[in-house]
Amino acid sequence: MARRVPEYEKRRNSIIGFLIVFVVLCTMAWDSGKLSYWGLPLMILGAYELLLVPTRCRATTTRKGSCRNPCYGLLRGCRHQPSHGPGKRADLLRTLTAGRSQAIPSPADGTAALKSQPIPDPDTVTVEPAQRLVIAFTILGGITGVVQTVLAALSMH
């Protein structure tokens, strides 16, 4: 019968696995001597920060304050409150679009959408400004990594 792996071992294994992959990719990029080969390690770092890093949820609600439950990734929420993950992503989208994404009604709704605006939920999820900054830099690093990887692949031909 297989034993259940404790949460702290899962978190530790996630960190160790990422560090091994990241160090190998950085070593390969360093040995290549070309700046364009650093794109893949940057993409891996961005994906790890957004989706896999063991952290606390830190979704801020109007009723309960900051959530202290463990979660994986800056864009994901905890398992205890299913609204935290989608709420964090929606808050990030509102931040990136300066709130315009909520103001544009879909063409199928017509003018009925403008007349019946939904009442805001009193338990709206938001993200701390420091976490928003980390997410924004991570996304920027991921985009930079994709561009560098494409440029490196094109320079090989």
Side-chain angles (χ1 to χ4, degrees):
M1 192 176 217
R3 74 176 181 97
R4 185 177 176 279
V5 179
E7 188 67 27
Y8 73 91
E9 281 188 30
K10 288 180 188 176
R11 294 167 100 64
R12 184 190 65 206
N13 294 342
S14 171
I15 292 170
I16 291 172
F18 164 73
L19 287 175
I20 290 170
V21 169
F22 189 68
V23 166
V24 167
L25 289 174
C26 286
T27 304
M28 290 170 53
W30 182 268
D31 288 342
S32 73
K34 293 185 178 181
L35 185 62
S36 59
Y37 289 160
W38 285 94
L40 188 59
L42 278 175
M43 286 184 345
I44 297 293
L45 178 64
Y48 177 74
E49 286 288 328
L50 292 175
L51 303 172
L52 298 172
V53 65
T55 185
R56 299 281 174 201
C57 181
R58 290 184 287 187
T60 306
T61 61
T62 54
R63 291 186 193 164
K64 300 176 185 170
S66 183
C67 179
R68 300 190 196 295
N69 295 320
C71 73
Y72 290 97
L74 295 173
L75 290 180
R76 299 168 79 188
C78 60
R79 294 183 202 153
H80 303 287
Q81 296 292 329
S83 66
H84 284 181
K88 287 171 77 172
R89 290 186 293 276
D91 184 55
L92 179 65
L93 181 64
R94 278 193 306 269
T95 301
L96 293 175
T97 61
R100 289 188 299 266
S101 64
Q102 297 290 338
I104 302 171
S106 66
D109 292 340
T111 58
L114 297 175
K115 294 178 184 174
S116 62
Q117 290 293 327
I119 298 170
D121 183 20
D123 198 25
T124 303
V125 175
T126 58
V127 179
E128 298 172 354
Q131 195 172 13
R132 283 186 194 152
L133 188 64
V134 168
I135 291 171
F137 280 135
T138 303
I139 291 172
L140 183 64
I143 292 170
T144 304
V146 168
V147 169
Q148 284 187 334
T149 303
V150 167
L151 291 176
L154 290 176
S155 68
M156 292 172 138
H157 288 88

